[in-house]
Amino acid sequence: MDRKTLIWTIVFLLAGAYLVLRSMTGGMARTYMKAVDFEFVNVAADGDEPEWIQAKPQVAADHDPNELANYPDENRQSWTRYESAPLKKYAKAVKEDPNQTTYLLSISRTIGVWLSAMFTLAIFSFLYKDSIFYKIAEAVVVGVSAAYWMVVAFWSTIVPNLIGKLSPAIVQAWAMPGLKEEQNLLYIVPLVLGAMLLWQLAPKGGWISRWPLAFFIGVFCGIRLTGYMHGDFLYQIGNSIIPLVVMVNGSFDFWGSLRAVLLVGGLLVCLVYFFFSFEHKGIVGKTAKVGIWVLMITFGAGFGYTVMGRIALLAIRLEFLFDDWLWLMDPTDKRLGM
Amino acid sequence: MKRLIPLWITAIAGIVLIASYFVPYAQGLGELTSIWFDILAGFAFILGGGNLLKVHLKKVSDKAAGWGYSVILLASFLITLFVGLGKIGVHPSPDYPDNSWSGVYNEVGSPFWWLYEYAFKPLTATMFAMLAFYIASASFRAFRAKNVEAVLLLGTAFIILLGRTFAGVWLTSWLPESLSGLKIENLSVYIMQVFNTAGSRAIIIGIALGIASTSLKVILGVDRSYLGSARSEP
């Protein structure tokens, strides 16, 4: 082991020992939760449609808690939901009653904070060099995000908009009792197109997926054509037709007028630069040159904003590491937003 | 036929959507087509997931280089898919307490929420956050104030960056009220409101015209590149 490796190994071992010590003594990364009991009572007579009345956490309006307490257990549905809770509330509850079960240490969420921290450090390790940690984190992000968007698409689009339209009764009985749709067999068309799209996965007949792709592109073009012409083209022109001489309370506003002239003038010179039907020489060339200057200012502003956005994201990640994970920024748990 | 029918499908779908914008009677048809579009987008996500599965299963079965990472990818993919589609750990909706599937798939506290909160969110946020280093590094290497255009770009970026920081505000805080327009935070706002608005509007107008013309070319069948090459037909 060379000198450099030895130094880094000692640094990492010391840091690891420090983390283990702090986590064992409850000084970091712990997440707490509050148990909220939910209970519902079916007050309908036998054979009737169920009528569920909330009994916990608070009794539904116009209902007597004593009356609801008389119903048998088979008329009840209950579960416990766990909400995030700050450390200070947990500490207060334990101080008042050491045996209380409302505020609890969440093992799963504490593991989650540790996992997030490890993933964050694994991604940051790429700044040094491509490592096994980064590759693992990369594989996880690809797998989780692909599945995440599939699940979102399934529950928010495929179930209500496709299966719910083709067979509302099944969806109502299964996952969306509140769905109020009537059967519409026209939705066989997107089902067939969807199946044709998935044909892309088959080893042969790749051309079959061209039909849904063609539909996809056609609709996209139609939506974008009208959307951009209305929302961007006309809207931007409309917003740029403004008075160049600005009057405030009957008197001439120099700075307001200058701003209007620069805004409209800047837009026009930029458009001249984008206009390629004339050769950019003479007066057109000079105007286009000024257009480039305005565009450079725009790109500079865009660059500055992008950098600020990324630095803000970086600050959020560092805040997570030092605050939520290491508890170094606010060990007494008086964090912002808590 | 393999190319003609898709061309007609594109043209009809596009024309229906354009007509639904201008003709009130066609609005219902336009809305229906938009919902079909959303459904197909949902299928596209499934296709993406299926393709990912196919590629990485092959990589694992071939024991290709880096197949261990494919195993991790497949495990994270399948676990997320299982807990999400199965609504594992999700409680019923308070409106339908007797229906165990009626709860929302991303309920706080459920395993799917856990994966989103503690894996998906930190990983994607950190990946984007890392760009701060790369932007800084790339700009340090690429930006040279060697002509007027470059000076304008650099100067504006510098003012915008400083204008959003405490140090920037402090640097010009000594300026008297009569020259407050030159304070860096005011300069930053002025640049954003005037020059940036002018330039952005010109770019947006250009983009809108470009998209409109490209869309028309696709709908009318002039641009057929999305169908691929005719020679690559099976």
Side-chain angles (χ1 to χ4, degrees), chain A:
Chain A
M1 193 182 284
D2 62 11
R3 192 184 175 88
K4 190 179 163 188
T5 314
L6 182 71
I7 290 169
W8 277 113
T9 309
I10 292 170
V11 167
F12 275 109
L13 282 175
L14 285 174
Y18 172 72
L19 288 178
V20 170
L21 190 72
R22 281 204 68 184
S23 59
M24 296 292 280
T25 52
M28 64 181 280
R30 294 197 171 190
T31 306
Y32 298 91
M33 58 189 183
K34 182 187 175 188
V36 182
D37 291 330
F38 281 79
E39 188 173 63
F40 294 83
V41 180
N42 181 11
V43 296
D46 285 345
D48 286 358
E49 280 285 300
E51 187 188 346
W52 294 97
I53 304 298
Q54 187 166 337
K56 284 180 185 174
Q58 63 269 341
V59 179
D62 303 333
H63 283 87
D64 180 13
N66 297 325
E67 180 203 326
L68 293 177
N70 294 330
Y71 284 89
D73 283 351
E74 54 265 28
N75 280 38
R76 294 171 187 279
Q77 290 284 347
S78 59
W79 61 85
T80 305
R81 191 173 282 179
Y82 296 97
E83 296 171 356
S84 291
L87 167 63
K88 54 191 170 190
K89 284 202 172 177
Y90 169 79
K92 191 182 168 195
V94 170
K95 195 177 174 186
E96 286 169 1
D97 175 12
N99 299 320
Q100 58 85 36
T101 52
T102 306
Y103 289 93
L104 305 159
L105 169 71
S106 173
I107 302 294
S108 68
R109 292 180 199 190
T110 301
I111 293 171
V113 170
W114 273 91
L115 192 73
S116 296
M118 292 302 123
F119 279 148
T120 304
L121 293 175
I123 297 284
F124 278 144
S125 74
F126 190 75
L127 291 169
Y128 176 59
K129 68 175 183 182
D130 197 2
S131 63
I132 184 172
F133 305 112
Y134 177 78
K135 284 198 172 102
I136 289 171
E138 191 184 42
V140 172
V141 75
V142 173
V144 172
S145 57
Y148 176 81
W149 290 116
M150 267 179 80
V151 171
V152 170
F154 181 76
W155 285 116
S156 60
T157 306
I158 305 278
V159 172
N161 289 345
L162 181 66
I163 309 174
K165 294 274 172 50
L166 286 172
S167 182
I170 289 176
V171 175
Q172 279 163 3
W174 165 44
M176 292 184 173
L179 188 78
K180 290 178 176 60
E181 291 285 352
E182 286 181 12
Q183 192 178 46
N184 187 344
L185 292 176
L186 267 179
Y187 280 79
I188 286 175
V189 178
L191 177 69
V192 171
L193 286 173
M196 290 168 79
L197 191 67
L198 295 180
W199 202 283
Q200 188 83 36
L201 296 170
K204 281 186 178 178
W207 63 270
I208 292 172
S209 65
R210 276 187 191 164
W211 289 24
L213 197 67
F215 176 81
F216 212 75
I217 287 169
V219 175
F220 191 77
C221 288
I223 291 172
R224 292 296 173 205
L225 194 149
T226 50
Y228 270 86
M229 290 309 276
H230 178 81
D232 283 351
F233 184 72
L234 295 176
Y235 185 76
Q236 296 297 340
I237 291 174
N239 275 357
S240 304
I241 300 173
I242 52 172
L244 297 179
V245 177
V246 180
M247 306 293 281
V248 177
N249 298 327
S251 56
F252 177 66
D253 177 11
F254 174 75
W255 291 108
S257 302
L258 181 67
R259 176 186 293 229
V261 169
L262 284 175
L263 180 63
V264 177
L267 171 63
L268 291 174
V269 293
C270 287
L271 288 177
V272 168
Y273 171 69
F274 285 135
F275 196 67
F276 297 109
S277 297
F278 294 109
E279 201 177 339
H280 285 187
K281 62 182 185 183
I283 186 74
V284 177
K286 287 193 173 75
T287 313
K289 184 86 178 164
V290 180
I292 293 174
W293 293 347
V294 176
L295 284 171
M296 284 299 151
I297 294 175
T298 308
F299 295 144
F303 173 76
Y305 249 79
T306 309
V307 172
M308 287 304 285
R310 300 303 178 207
I311 288 175
L313 268 176
L314 181 64
I316 291 169
R317 292 321 302 157
L318 294 178
E319 189 186 353
F320 165 76
L321 287 177
F322 288 107
D323 189 359
D324 293 339
W325 183 46
L326 292 174
W327 286 13
L328 286 178
M329 279 163 65
D330 187 0
T332 53
D333 196 30
K334 286 176 184 165
R335 300 171 192 139
L336 284 174
M338 296 291 277

Side-chain angles (χ1 to χ4, degrees), chain B:
Chain B
M1 283 297 274
K2 286 178 186 174
R3 293 175 72 82
L4 190 65
I5 293 176
L7 279 174
W8 274 103
I9 292 173
T10 304
I12 291 168
I15 289 165
V16 164
L17 259 296
I18 295 169
S20 72
Y21 182 77
F22 295 104
V23 185
Y25 292 108
Q27 265 178 5
L29 203 56
E31 282 166 17
L32 183 77
T33 316
S34 295
I35 297 171
W36 289 7
F37 177 79
D38 290 342
I39 293 168
L40 269 185
F43 274 102
F45 281 119
I46 297 172
L47 174 66
N51 199 39
L52 192 81
L53 205 61
K54 190 176 151 184
V55 168
H56 286 277
L57 277 175
K58 186 170 181 338
K59 212 170 166 183
V60 173
S61 81
D62 292 352
K63 294 245 166 101
W67 67 272
Y69 300 114
S70 292
V71 172
I72 295 170
L73 187 149
L74 288 171
S76 54
F77 175 77
L78 292 172
I79 290 169
T80 312
L81 203 62
F82 174 70
V83 298
L85 292 181
K87 288 192 178 179
I88 306 295
V90 171
H91 297 110
S93 157
D95 295 330
Y96 308 97
D98 56 337
N99 187 327
S100 57
W101 282 84
S102 61
V104 287
Y105 64 91
N106 53 356
E107 183 190 293
V108 175
S110 66
F112 187 67
W113 169 85
W114 191 93
L115 281 166
Y116 173 78
E117 195 68 22
Y118 297 117
F120 182 80
K121 219 165 81 173
L123 281 167
T124 48
T126 313
M127 283 204 168
F128 279 109
M130 262 213 325
L131 290 180
F133 293 101
Y134 292 110
I135 289 176
S137 155
S139 53
F140 179 74
R141 278 177 285 153
F143 286 177
R144 293 286 179 269
K146 54 189 174 188
N147 54 33
V148 181
E149 288 84 1
V151 170
L152 282 171
L153 194 146
L154 274 175
T156 312
F158 191 66
I159 291 169
I160 295 292
L161 281 169
L162 272 183
R164 293 283 183 274
T165 59
F166 177 77
V169 175
W170 176 78
L171 273 176
T172 50
S173 58
W174 54 273
L175 280 169
E177 200 52 39
S178 55
L179 294 173
S180 65
L182 293 176
K183 285 186 176 178
I184 209 147
E185 67 271 25
N186 295 337
L187 265 180
S188 158
V189 171
Y190 199 77
I191 287 170
M192 290 309 290
Q193 286 182 348
V194 180
F195 295 103
N196 182 56
T197 306
S200 300
R201 278 187 184 168
I203 292 168
I204 291 169
I205 289 169
I207 290 172
L209 284 172
I211 285 182
S213 63
T214 308
S215 298
L216 265 181
K217 277 165 74 179
V218 171
I219 290 169
L220 297 175
V222 178
D223 185 345
R224 304 173 182 195
S225 52
Y226 65 94
L227 291 173
S229 165
R231 280 179 297 174
S232 66
E233 298 244 327

